[in-house]
Amino acid sequence: MPGQDEAAASRTALRICPLCEATCGLTLTIEGTTVTGARGDRDDVFSHGFVCPKGAAFADLDADPDRLTGPLVREDGVLREATWSEAFDLVAARLRPLVEAYGPNSVGVVLGNPNVHTMAGALYPPLLLSLLRTRSLFTASTVDQMPKHVSSGLLFGDPFAIPVPDLDRTDHLLLLGANPLDSNGSLCTAPDFPGRLKALRRRGGTLVVVDPRRTRTARLADRHVPIRPGTDALLLAALAQVLFEEKLTDLGELGEWTEGLSEVREAVRDFTPEAVSAACDVPADEIRLLARGLAAAPTAAVYGRVGSSTVEFGTLANWLVDVLNILTGNLDRPGGALFPLSATAPAPRPAGPGRGFALGRWKSRAGGHPEAKGELPLAALAEEIDTPGEGRVRALVTIAANPVLSAPDGLRLDRALSGHLDFMVSVDPYLNETSRHADVVLPPPPPSQSAHFDFAFNGFAVRNQVRYTPAAVPLEDGRMDESEIHARLILAVSGMHGADPASVDDLVIERALAKAVATPHSPVHGDDPERLAAALTGRGGPERRLDMMLRLGPYDLVLDDLLAHPHGIDLGPLRPRLPQVLKTPSGKVELLPAPLAADLPRLRRALGERPAGLVLVGRRHLRSNNSWMHNIARLNGGSNRCTLQVHPDDAARLGLTDGAPARISAEGGALEAVVEVTDTVRTGVVSLPHGWGHDREGARTAVAAATPGVNVNQLLDGSRLDPLSGTAVLNGFPVDVAPIS
Ligand SMILES: Nc1nc2c(c(=O)[nH]1)N[C@H]1C(S)=C(S)[C@@H](COP(=O)(O)OP(=O)(O)OC[C@H]3O[C@@H](n4cnc5c(=O)[nH]c(N)nc54)[C@H](O)[C@@H]3O)O[C@H]1N2
Ligand SMILES: Nc1nc2c(c(=O)[nH]1)N[C@H]1C(S)=C(S)[C@@H](COP(=O)(O)OP(=O)(O)OC[C@H]3O[C@@H](n4cnc5c(=O)[nH]c(N)nc54)[C@H](O)[C@@H]3O)O[C@H]1N2
Ligand code: SF4
Ligand SMILES: [Mo]
């Protein structure tokens, strides 16, 4: 009976959602080998059943008919289907000789956001980069969180020592430039962020939101401060100034682990509420109230994200966020901002001085931009390709990246990719605005066919926990696991083409164990690396590496523990970790590092600056994710549209009409978008989302192409950067808007 067969073929499987940083556990419904539905896993130890519309659309995303099913190679200018061995043969034949002829920096590597959402993206790029030895590394960090890495590097000596707000226990959250009700949170992994904010309000806590738009998050707050874009660093400096002036600083036990307090007091002296008020467009009295509220709360956390990062003073703002947490004694205490400890982090070293964090160790060839964390600004990628001269980037490897839409001046990059490269390879499931330029496209399988572990986000989670989900359905015939794609790519570009891809994992395991047995504080110190390697369990390289990392980690866990607990293992609330996390030369929190002090005069000059006209900010929509989810009909449309939001007063002044097109122009170019008149944006500010502009020929994303929208980053020419981090200024840049008659 067919009915019975169908029932027998229907089953469920667990899968951690890879679509945003919240890392919710999903229960997938599967018929045969097809995912037909997804709901929140109620037994997940961290997400407890939460799911958002993107996670609920997992089946549609997984089965998108526009996903590439096999590799493509370019022949006579046209991309055609190819076998995997043809594809890797071509990479080895074309890319390796360029490295040999022009040196390692002639190969650019671009790593995009989804690398932090795949196991392959966490496990393989470090080896790729160490074997290629290229300094031409560009990632999504320089259009996102690099200011945080730089400020953490300087303050704590470790760019990954990023404190996260203790959402579930804090009494007071001051949130700047983040809209977790739509983004579901970032550098603060918290499934059901909305529920956690509501719980904060319910237990009598206070939520303050600083955002030029009255976002869904702002609507939940006790107080919304509609700041003028780009001025968060001024506001935060004034908060610090008030704390000093009114003797509200109280470092508590942190005092012992901090140096430079009086220097900071001196540094913020000029930034009084009266001095910053006009630039921020926030009344001085209100700034004083904000500072007093922060100081008076039993526990509090200051947290800033994209809107205080991709701005002119991004690194200063990110630094001041932590300075305020320190001045109020809230860093590293329950209810404040704490450092998570993930299960795959190396076992903590004993406290003591470290090597610190160096900045600007080399500069980019064309623009002279200083490196940060080994990376060059993504905004400088096009000029590194199209500026002639020695050391020019001639070949590009893009992995899970769509810089034509995500970085400033996509048209220039478009031209650089099509006209100035000798070779390009993309690891991407789609043929989109960027990968359409590649000579070889290597598509990973849909997420249901991949295992999942959050190497990155467990380190930024509001609760220590660990979860692993093996692939929910077997790898389809003709597909290649993304880990194997990465391993074969590494072999092809490093002169080892044709070797067994398993040898890549063996090499990493060998290196890691050799280091661990020689490290005094490692749990395997003095042990025999060969015995340890033989003891690793797991089917295949990635699982064996996960097992190894767990064994070398802080919790005495092995892979089998994770397999025995499919809904995850809770490792408890965040705990204080100072001074152990510090790796500064002094072994202390260095409160006023020299590079930040040197950037303060620039901030001081901003006290007197006022934009003559409008400035533009971005926004995110709950049913979008950067550039690559507009191809899912269920997520596209409705309120998820690429409209220019304008305040009614500005619309009246400029003669703009709701629903009618307008022309937006800025230093990098001009665009046309439909106006949406709404008082959710403040006056003087317009908002256009990013990730749109799906009208390029040669891309294969039919649904997205039907409502393409425009690429907001085309308004930029790539020259506006936060100087310390090389991060593009994507928020708060000047634009002109006029009606189109
Ligand atoms: N104006 C403006 N610009 C912005 C932003 C903004 O707020 N405003 N935000 C910035 C931020 S925060 C970020 S992180 C960047 C993101 O910038 P990018 O990382 O360049 O872009 P994404 O759209 O996230 O997608 C990257 C690519 O990954 C592919 N992909 C999806 N899943 C997988 C997978 O499993 N494996 C592989 N190999 N590929 C996959 C997609 O098809 C897509 O081509 O954009 C930035 N750009
Ligand atoms: N639905 C959805 N979720 C996502 C993504 C997505 O594209 N869509 N992208 C993911 C990625 S890659 C990231 S990095 C995270 C980002 O997560 P969030 O940081 O929460 O992202 P946004 O929603 O862009 O929030 C930034 C806010 O800053 C405001 N803003 C702009 N300029 C300023 C300013 O100068 N000062 C202040 N105080 N505010 C300002 C904007 O109005 C906006 O509301 O989201 C992730 N989750
Ligand atoms: S909140 Fe993020 S992780 Fe959770 S279901 Fe939605 S997209 Fe997936
Ligand atoms: Mo991001």
Side-chain angles (χ1 to χ4, degrees):
M1 276 179 8
Q4 255 176 4
D5 284 352
E6 274 163 37
S10 169
R11 62 183 177 97
T12 62
L14 300 175
R15 180 32 158 121
I16 300 165
C17 179
L19 304 177
C20 91
E21 298 184 33
T23 72
C24 302
L26 302 179
T27 305
L28 305 181
T29 317
I30 297 165
E31 316 280 339
T33 55
T34 306
V35 179
T36 52
R39 57 176 197 276
D41 170 18
R42 255 175 275 136
D43 298 319
D44 184 286
V45 297
F46 195 25
S47 64
H48 308 292
F50 181 78
V51 67
C52 86
K54 287 193 295 297
F58 186 99
D60 299 50
L61 262 146
D62 203 60
D64 184 353
D66 280 339
R67 276 181 187 270
L68 301 173
T69 52
L72 303 176
V73 301
R74 193 172 297 279
E75 195 172 81
D76 302 325
V78 184
L79 284 169
R80 63 157 175 91
E81 288 175 11
T83 64
W84 288 101
S85 45
E86 267 181 293
F88 287 107
D89 284 349
L90 196 61
V91 176
R94 298 276 305 280
L95 200 141
R96 191 62 210 163
L98 292 171
V99 183
E100 273 150 26
Y102 299 104
N105 294 346
S106 66
V107 182
V109 175
V110 184
L111 302 176
N113 170 271
N115 283 302
V116 282
H117 296 278
T118 65
M119 291 182 76
L123 292 176
Y124 297 88
L127 184 67
L128 174 75
L129 294 166
S130 94
L131 292 175
L132 262 181
R133 291 186 301 111
T134 177
R135 284 181 173 178
S136 305
L137 171 62
F138 307 83
T139 84
S141 295
T142 51
V143 283
D144 187 348
Q145 85 287 359
M146 189 60 92
K148 190 85 240 171
H149 290 304
V150 171
S151 91
S152 280
L154 294 169
L155 273 167
F156 309 123
D158 178 353
F160 289 99
I162 295 177
V164 304
D166 194 1
L167 276 193
D168 298 339
R169 292 183 290 181
T170 193
D171 299 297
H172 184 110
L173 182 63
L174 170 57
L175 186 149
L176 304 105
N179 180 16
L181 260 76
D182 286 320
S183 71
N184 277 305
S186 182
L187 291 184
C188 177
T189 283
D192 194 13
F193 212 123
R196 290 173 203 255
L197 289 182
K198 285 174 198 152
L200 160 73
R201 297 288 317 277
R202 266 203 308 277
R203 65 177 179 266
T206 307
L207 174 65
V208 179
V209 172
V210 179
D211 197 306
R213 300 187 306 121
R214 196 172 69 253
T215 59
R216 291 173 63 221
T217 309
R219 273 175 256 167
L220 206 71
D222 297 270
R223 182 186 285 270
H224 170 218
V225 182
I227 193 169
R228 200 165 65 66
T231 64
D232 293 41
L234 289 173
L235 175 73
L236 294 166
L239 294 180
Q241 194 276 340
V242 174
L243 294 180
F244 282 118
E245 183 189 75
E246 300 190 0
K247 303 200 168 22
L248 297 173
T249 63
D250 179 9
L251 277 70
E253 288 169 27
L254 282 174
E256 195 185 335
W257 302 112
T258 305
E259 63 165 45
L261 186 63
S262 55
E263 288 84 348
V264 171
R265 178 202 309 267
E266 206 42 50
V268 300
R269 189 182 291 277
D270 300 347
F271 297 95
T272 62
E274 286 70 22
V276 307
S277 171
C280 298
D281 204 5
V282 180
D285 290 348
E286 187 169 359
I287 298 176
R288 289 214 156 75
L289 288 178
L290 290 177
R292 288 172 197 153
L294 188 64
T299 63
V302 186
Y303 161 75
R305 262 314 268 129
V306 159
S308 55
S309 194
T310 53
V311 287
E312 249 181 287
F313 302 101
T315 305
L316 286 175
N318 276 275
W319 163 68
L320 285 160
V321 161
D322 286 330
V323 166
L324 287 170
N325 283 326
I326 293 165
L327 295 181
T328 52
N330 281 303
L331 183 76
D332 202 43
R333 80 166 172 200
L338 296 118
F339 301 96
L341 183 59
S342 97
T344 51
R349 72 196 254 288
R355 259 186 299 181
F357 177 74
L359 202 56
R361 292 162 297 173
W362 57 85
K363 293 206 158 94
S364 70
R365 178 189 65 99
H369 300 292
E371 64 81 30
K373 207 164 74 59
E375 299 181 22
L376 299 174
L378 189 61
L381 174 61
E383 70 186 22
E384 287 303 320
I385 299 171
D386 68 19
T387 310
E390 206 181 319
R392 186 174 78 78
V393 170
R394 291 165 181 273
L396 205 62
V397 180
T398 71
I399 307 180
N402 193 4
V404 167
L405 293 190
S406 54
D409 200 354
L411 285 178
R412 180 174 177 182
L413 187 57
D414 234 350
R415 285 192 296 269
L417 299 182
S418 67
H420 295 268
L421 282 181
D422 296 347
F423 187 72
M424 172 169 165
V425 49
S426 290
V427 182
D428 206 289
Y430 288 103
L431 200 60
N432 62 17
E433 296 74 18
T434 298
S435 58
R436 75 197 173 106
H437 293 292
D439 299 290
V440 175
V441 184
L442 304 166
S448 61
Q449 296 175 32
S450 311
H452 191 86
F453 185 87
D454 281 298
F455 290 101
F457 298 123
N458 288 343
F460 305 120
V462 297
R463 210 174 157 88
N464 292 319
Q465 42 70 44
V466 61
R467 294 162 295 153
Y468 172 64
T469 47
V473 300
L475 207 56
E476 210 180 329
D477 270 352
R479 292 280 190 183
M480 185 178 282
D481 189 78
E482 187 161 6
S483 293
E484 187 177 338
I485 295 176
H486 280 238
R488 288 188 187 272
L489 184 63
I490 288 172
L491 294 170
V493 304
S494 61
M496 296 185 275
H497 180 50
D500 181 0
S503 66
V504 170
D505 298 301
D506 292 339
L507 176 69
V508 176
I509 289 171
E510 193 184 311
R511 281 186 181 183
L513 289 176
K515 191 173 160 202
V517 297
T519 302
H521 62 266
S522 166
V524 298
H525 179 236
D527 213 324
D528 170 21
E530 272 171 41
R531 191 198 70 78
L532 291 168
L536 297 178
T537 69
R539 295 155 303 177
E543 278 197 353
R544 290 180 68 233
R545 289 174 65 183
L546 172 57
D547 187 39
M548 175 186 74
M549 291 166 82
L550 292 166
R551 287 168 195 256
L552 300 181
Y555 292 102
D556 193 20
L557 288 167
V558 296
L559 178 65
D560 281 341
D561 297 322
L562 271 49
L563 293 171
H565 296 86
H567 304 284
I569 301 172
D570 182 44
L571 299 168
L574 305 186
R575 282 179 283 272
R577 291 189 56 203
L578 285 179
Q580 182 274 321
V581 286
L582 302 175
K583 294 182 185 163
T584 49
S586 60
K588 298 202 167 182
V589 179
E590 298 183 354
L591 221 43
L592 184 61
L596 291 164
D599 201 24
L600 281 170
R602 195 173 62 96
L603 185 64
R604 203 164 282 119
R605 286 197 293 281
L607 285 171
E609 281 162 20
R610 307 282 177 280
L614 294 169
V615 296
L616 185 143
V617 301
R619 65 175 189 269
R620 283 174 158 77
H621 192 283
L622 185 57
R623 283 182 285 112
S624 257
N625 189 27
N626 298 331
S627 76
W628 69 277
M629 282 186 206
H630 298 137
N631 209 49
I632 309 303
R634 178 171 165 180
L635 298 175
N636 200 337
S639 57
N640 184 12
R641 290 183 307 139
C642 185
T643 57
L644 183 77
Q645 295 185 336
V646 186
H647 188 274
D649 293 354
D650 289 324
R653 186 168 54 81
L654 296 165
L656 299 168
T657 317
D658 188 72
R663 183 178 167 83
I664 315 152
S665 44
E667 56 215 11
L671 301 172
E672 287 178 17
V674 169
V675 169
E676 181 186 343
V677 176
T678 165
D679 67 0
T680 58
V681 284
R682 52 158 288 165
T683 53
V685 177
V686 294
S687 171
L688 191 65
H690 73 286
W692 296 85
H694 307 293
D695 50 3
R696 307 274 204 300
E697 216 177 290
R700 271 187 227 163
T701 48
V703 176
T707 50
V710 291
N711 176 12
V712 64
N713 288 325
Q714 200 46 53
L715 295 170
L716 294 159
D717 63 11
S719 62
R720 266 176 204 268
L721 302 179
D722 167 44
L724 284 172
S725 65
T727 302
V729 176
L730 305 172
N731 279 292
F733 60 89
V735 292
D736 286 319
V737 181
I740 297 172
S741 45

